Amino acid sequence: MSLLLAVPILLPLLGAALSVGLGRSRQAQRVIGVATLAVVTVTSVALLVRVDTEGIQSVQVGGWAAPVGITLVADGLAAIMLVVAVLMLLAVLVYAIGQPGAEDEHVGFHPVYLILASGVAAAFLTGDLFNLFVAFEVTLMASYVLITLGGRPAQVRSGMTYVVISLIASLLFLLALAFVYTATGTLNLADLNDKIAALPAGVRSGLAVLLIVVFGIKSAIFPLFFWLPDSYPTAPSPVTAVFAGLLTKVGVYALIRSQTLLFPPDTQPGDLLLVVAGLTMLVGVLGAITQNDVKRILSFHIVSQIGYMVMGLGLFTLVGLAGAVLYVIHHIVVKTTLFLVAGLIELRAGTSNLAKLSGVARLEPLLAILFLLPALSLAGIPPFSGFVAKLALVDAGIGAEAYAVVAVSLVVSLLTLYSMSKIWANAFWGAHEPGPAVPALSTPRRALMVWSTGGLVVLSLGIAVASGPLYDLSERAAADLIDPTAYVEAVLGR
Amino acid sequence: MNVLLVITAGFLCACGTYLLLGRQLSRIIIGIGLLGHGINVLLVLSGGDGGAPAFVGGDIDRFADPLPQALVLTAIVITFGVIAFLLALAYRSWQFTEDDEVEDDVEDRRIARASHEHAGEEHPS
């Protein structure tokens, strides 16, 4: 059992070390990368099944009892996010192997990518705040390297913003840790659950807001999102895709985890979160509308979509949290897919600028389909996964009588559809005009890229088809979030 | 709690924040370093009053709390690593621009230009 929790963190690290050692052979690195992530995928699915059937799993690393030692713990939310995250990492790695540029030019790509996987898994599975900080740092360090891989001027400029902002967020996190430790004398999340409840209300709210700011920068919520659309689009497409799908969601996960576990509903700054959620949705989508580059539009959409997840958290009801969990699952898959398609467009047409793109659908009908399905899903058109997730959130919003934020979320859905149709009309429709010359790509490499993207599109359709069971799963995860007794029991063993 | 250390932490954080607000990359990096140190001092302080060294001798009442020191050690190593990376990035940036100033983002410049044009004529491009 302890193995199930440790493998997703340790195996990628071992893989990374091996990958550095075999740096001379790109083939060997590829085999190691794909094999490692495949094993981790199987492990995390097994973990999810186990958590769902037997309840929350926890392990004390090194055998020290809970508040002192390092705790790894997997509840429903962590296990679900781990499975989705690892699936994305695997799919994007396959895509990256096909794409010329990032992966084949640099010895460092594979090791760093595996370290990123390890950091993400550690962030989901850790049971105390300081290890969450360490997991964030591992993830961020890997992401710094990936975002500046190649060291082109545009990357260095935007990477600098990203690194400095992330670093300031990390320092603020450290500050929050110092305050939490001063106030309570522990950093174990389960232990903090009742220790924070015993603090005066003012201190609790202060800590809650500080943590919201910290995780808010990572997850790019409203006033703190500005760095994201500047940094993401310049990286190679697979890197952007994995960042868009995962990194902000690690922040969202930390936000949900800390708010539900540490700050019980009576001290919840719930209204603050709802206002922030509404503004995040609106500002993100308005930003997307003004852009005219596919990758930048999609980057602004990340911001807008984060708002929906924060909305589910801000409602703080069972249905709201279940909706948020379902939304995270849907969003990770769809967003990653869209960025991969954007990469394919860029590779085929030589640019991702809407003013220069035209008639891609004539050139490549398959790409048009691969784009259309996740785009409609993102906008929340009925049969697709986005609709199911949004319906759950809207339902929760009406149930909690938060009509303003429901109205905003519906308007934002429409605006999302508008900006998706803008990409569609400009890039895919119209006569094909030959753009900048693009180097031809060998068939097997292209097949890797198209198949991995296609696989994700099928996966997102699968989410829509299996939305019933998935919603039940999210609801079980949300029930554990609302009532953390089981979590505390599993960790502290009492 | 040691007032002198609290003041030190506050002073370091204030200097760090001030330096962060500048536009020169080297100042930003030094600012991040100072801010990091300030917060590390605060983290050490979170363990309460200093005492006898932990694990040595038998007087449990006078133990220093070893946990924040372990945390601070980890934090220092992480900050050190990231600052080293930032310095490398800053050097790379200097190779490109021969300048230490943080550039405006391309998109910011585009928007600024568009709004200027909009003020001057009917159609922004």
Side-chain angles (χ1 to χ4, degrees), chain A residues 53-84:
Chain A
T53 50
E54 291 174 23
I56 297 168
Q57 304 287 312
S58 75
V59 64
Q60 312 296 338
V61 178
W64 287 81
V68 182
I70 293 172
T71 309
L72 295 182
V73 51
D75 65 344
L77 175 65
I80 291 172
M81 294 206 56
L82 184 65
V83 170
V84 184

Side-chain angles (χ1 to χ4, degrees), chain A residues 105-279:
Chain A
E105 283 173 12
H106 297 277
V107 188
F109 181 86
H110 283 277
V112 172
Y113 193 84
L114 288 175
I115 289 172
L116 181 78
S118 168
V120 169
F124 291 151
L125 293 178
T126 180
D128 72 283
L129 272 180
F130 193 79
N131 281 305
L132 185 62
F133 168 75
V134 174
F136 268 159
E137 287 307 312
V138 171
T139 318
L140 286 174
M141 267 301 220
S143 70
Y144 299 156
V145 177
L146 285 176
I147 213 166
T148 53
L149 208 63
R152 291 193 306 276
Q155 285 182 318
V156 171
R157 193 194 54 243
S158 62
M160 195 66 86
T161 324
Y162 176 71
V163 176
V164 170
I165 297 290
S166 306
L167 195 49
I168 290 171
S170 304
L171 290 176
L172 279 177
F173 194 4
L174 209 54
L175 188 71
L177 288 177
F179 288 158
V180 170
Y181 195 79
T182 313
T184 62
T186 179
L187 288 171
N188 187 299
L189 284 168
D191 201 23
L192 278 173
N193 178 38
D194 42 323
K195 292 221 167 115
I196 280 201
L199 291 178
V203 179
R204 263 187 299 181
S205 316
L207 290 178
V209 170
L210 190 53
L211 283 177
I212 289 179
V213 170
V214 170
F215 299 139
I217 298 178
K218 311 240 185 239
S219 57
I221 61 177
F222 164 59
L224 311 164
F225 68 89
F226 50 87
W227 54 270
L228 190 146
D230 283 344
S231 342
Y232 280 15
T234 47
S237 317
V239 173
T240 319
V242 93
F243 282 15
L246 291 184
L247 288 196
T248 45
K249 256 53 76 185
V250 176
V252 171
Y253 168 82
L255 202 58
I256 295 180
R257 173 67 72 225
S258 64
Q259 294 304 309
T260 53
L261 197 56
L262 304 187
F263 306 102
D266 52 315
T267 49
Q268 265 292 312
D271 292 339
L272 172 76
L273 281 177
L274 282 183
V275 172
V276 164
L279 285 171

Side-chain angles (χ1 to χ4, degrees), chain A residues 151 157 181-182 230 291 296, chain B residues 46 65 92 96 105-107:
Chain A
R157 193 194 54 243
Y181 195 79
T182 313
D230 283 344
Q291 299 298 320
R296 283 189 73 93
Chain B
S46 72
D65 187 350
R92 182 76 173 168
F96 286 131
D105 185 65
V106 182
E107 203 65 13

